[in-house]
Amino acid sequence: MGDSPSRRPPDPQDAYREFRYPLLVLAVTTGIAGFVDAFAFLRYGAFVANQSGNAVLLGIGLAGRHAAWPESAASLVAFATGTGVVSQVRAARSRWSPALRGLGSAVLTLALWAVLNALLHHGRQGGWQRIALAAAGGLAMGALATLFVRTAGVTTAITYQSGTVDKIGERIGRWLAGPDTGRKRARQGAFLGLLALTCYAAGGGLGTIAQQRPLWVPAWGTLALAALSFLLRSGRSRT
């Protein structure tokens, strides 16, 4: 797993292509996603990163068993909006790298959520405030999801961990019983998946503990994400 991006074809959605210490970036971003996801679920009754969970909660709500279903719906729509808009921002012609534009968009939307969370007192009044906050969180996580989709050429996800679990099982199977030529790659992919899943779960635990100071949780996530700007590669090192 050597850090040798020059040997790989240009890929602006690979963490190895755009960041120094890409494994650290994978760990931090998935940790942030788990951190704010746990906070949002416990505070608003909806996820902001785990949209599979929101789809289930929406169905449960429409069946009359989950009162916070509007929050789930708002997060779903906002997440898709964030992903769509930031994908176009990344694809546009610019002197700034796609990773810098993607990271900047994620930091700005997460900061917006942090401000709203403070102004609306972390949704403690319920109603439209929680719906707005769930939407703001979903928008930020949709932006974050575009930051990279591969690590060292292996598919990895920041927010969508259901797919990570699926890939871990598939890669472990290839590692143990697949052809010799593909075992090293499968082992690498299994490790990356386990790293992402572990950090997401650890972030969820920290997000639960952080409920004691709900006003500042999105702000802490913003600061952690902004710190990744120091790990961006320069234009010269990407060539």
Side-chain angles (χ1 to χ4, degrees), residues 6-237:
S6 62
R7 297 180 182 178
R8 301 183 182 92
D11 185 352
Q13 285 195 281
D14 192 303
Y16 265 74
R17 170 71 179 169
E18 297 296 334
F19 291 92
R20 293 176 288 127
Y21 308 109
L23 297 186
L24 176 59
V25 174
L26 176 63
V28 171
T29 52
T30 52
I32 290 171
F35 179 70
V36 298
D37 223 9
F39 165 77
F41 177 70
L42 295 173
R43 187 60 50 180
Y44 313 147
F47 297 105
V48 291
N50 178 16
Q51 297 304 325
S52 297
N54 276 334
V56 173
L57 291 176
L58 179 59
I60 294 172
L62 293 176
R65 299 296 295 272
H66 183 62
W69 67 265
E71 287 88 330
S72 293
S75 180
L76 270 166
V77 172
F79 186 98
T81 300
T83 300
V85 171
V86 178
S87 293
Q88 293 305 306
V89 170
R90 287 177 56 92
R93 284 184 167 274
S94 172
R95 61 179 180 141
W96 308 109
S97 72
L100 179 59
R101 284 175 273 152
L103 181 60
S105 298
V107 170
L108 286 175
T109 51
L110 194 48
L112 172 63
W113 179 26
V115 171
L116 287 176
N117 189 65
L119 291 177
L120 299 180
H121 303 288
H122 48 81
R124 65 186 179 189
Q125 299 299 323
W128 70 268
Q129 295 182 356
R130 287 188 181 177
I131 295 173
L133 289 169
L139 184 72
M141 291 299 100
L144 182 61
T146 69
L147 191 56
F148 59 86
V149 296
R150 285 171 291 277
T151 304
V154 177
T155 301
T156 50
I158 299 171
T159 61
Y160 182 64
Q161 300 309 319
S162 296
T164 300
V165 175
D166 172 67
K167 292 295 184 182
I168 288 173
E170 177 185 327
R171 290 161 182 164
I172 288 177
R174 290 205 308 267
W175 175 16
L176 298 177
D180 292 341
T181 54
R183 287 187 180 182
K184 182 178 179 181
R185 186 72 166 173
R187 182 173 67 248
Q188 180 187 44
F191 166 75
L192 290 171
L194 287 170
L195 175 64
L197 192 62
T198 299
C199 291
Y200 186 89
L206 291 174
T208 301
I209 295 171
Q211 294 296 316
Q212 299 175 25
R213 295 184 179 273
L215 199 64
W216 304 109
V217 173
W220 292 335
T222 304
L223 290 174
L225 190 61
L228 296 183
S229 62
F230 295 103
L231 301 182
L232 281 165
R233 292 188 183 278
S234 66
R236 179 176 297 179
S237 67

